[in-house]
Amino acid sequence: MKTMIILNPSSGKEKAEEYAEKIDVTLRNKYKDIQFRTTAKEGDAAAFAAEASVSFFDAVIAMGGDGTINEVINGLADQAHRPKLGIIPLGTVNDFARALHIPLEPYEAISILEHQNLRPVDIGKVNESYFANVLAVGAIAEASYKVSTDQKTKLGPLAYFIEGAKSFLNGNAITISVEHEGGKWEGETFLLLTALTNSVGGFEALAPEADVNDGVFHTFIIKKLSIPKIATLIPSLLKGELAESKDIEYFRSSYLTVASDQEHVVNVDGEEGESLPFCAKVLRGHLDVFVPTTRKA
């Protein structure tokens, strides 16, 4: 058996190589061949994951943040042979790891690989690329691109919340049309957010009913609202009751088509993606991921 470790050296407060030594020791009794690949530029992680697939590696271990995880998934998802996926979260938010109850402390995350416990996990396909966690469109999503590396290091997920709050205050809404299994929605919105899991931007109560392999997107459309009304949504968000608000359009669907007469860029797993329109669908149980042997209820 052989495994590939894909390492983003700029993640984990630059302690990634130290964690790599620990993972080598942990997996030595599980895999005869352990190979390391270190990313140097955008696209490297996807290329390494594709290499592991066509070379019939048994597992790929991704060490990095949500951006690295997204690249690795893009390298694996359209392959005939898809190695098992391990995740060592070294990023700012680590939404995918949170949703799978993978420990956010890297050494603890490495330790779960000893048990080789697997869970099938849904993956989303948007146009011709793939994602693990979330799609977002709107002023708040676009504001996230303004978050600097320094802000993320100092503030963590709060940095995204601050930039999003600024976009609310500016009152920027966009006009979109959305088609899904239940019909069609058209109107002005501050944010359309489609999640595969319950963890988005570090908030684990956004869609409490969402599971990593339930086969559907959980979509929230925050309609154009006044600032006082927006403030009333915060308690609902914190209590996991956002879907029940009359100011939110919420639905579940295995596919989604979103379009606009204006040009807007889609946020894909926290990174800047393509411009609208997009078509997205759920690939149910598409990847097998290493998870803890016992999960939270």
Side-chain angles (χ1 to χ4, degrees), residues 226-282:
S226 65
I227 291 172
K229 273 203 165 188
I230 290 167
T232 66
L233 295 178
I234 295 175
S236 297
L237 170 63
L238 297 177
K239 291 188 292 185
E241 298 173 353
L242 197 61
E244 300 171 19
S245 170
K246 66 181 185 337
D247 296 313
I248 299 292
E249 188 79 17
Y250 169 75
F251 53 84
R252 290 179 286 184
S253 178
S254 64
Y255 73 88
L256 201 65
T257 300
V258 179
S260 175
D261 291 336
Q262 304 161 309
E263 184 171 341
H264 298 289
V265 176
V266 184
N267 184 307
V268 182
D269 280 349
E271 303 292 332
E272 189 171 351
E274 302 176 24
S275 296
L276 291 178
F278 74 73
C279 296
K281 64 179 179 180
V282 179

Side-chain angles (χ1 to χ4, degrees), residues 217-231:
F217 294 125
H218 296 257
T219 299
F220 299 83
I221 300 175
I222 301 177
K223 302 170 187 176
K224 185 176 181 180
L225 305 171
S226 65
I227 291 172
K229 273 203 165 188
I230 290 167

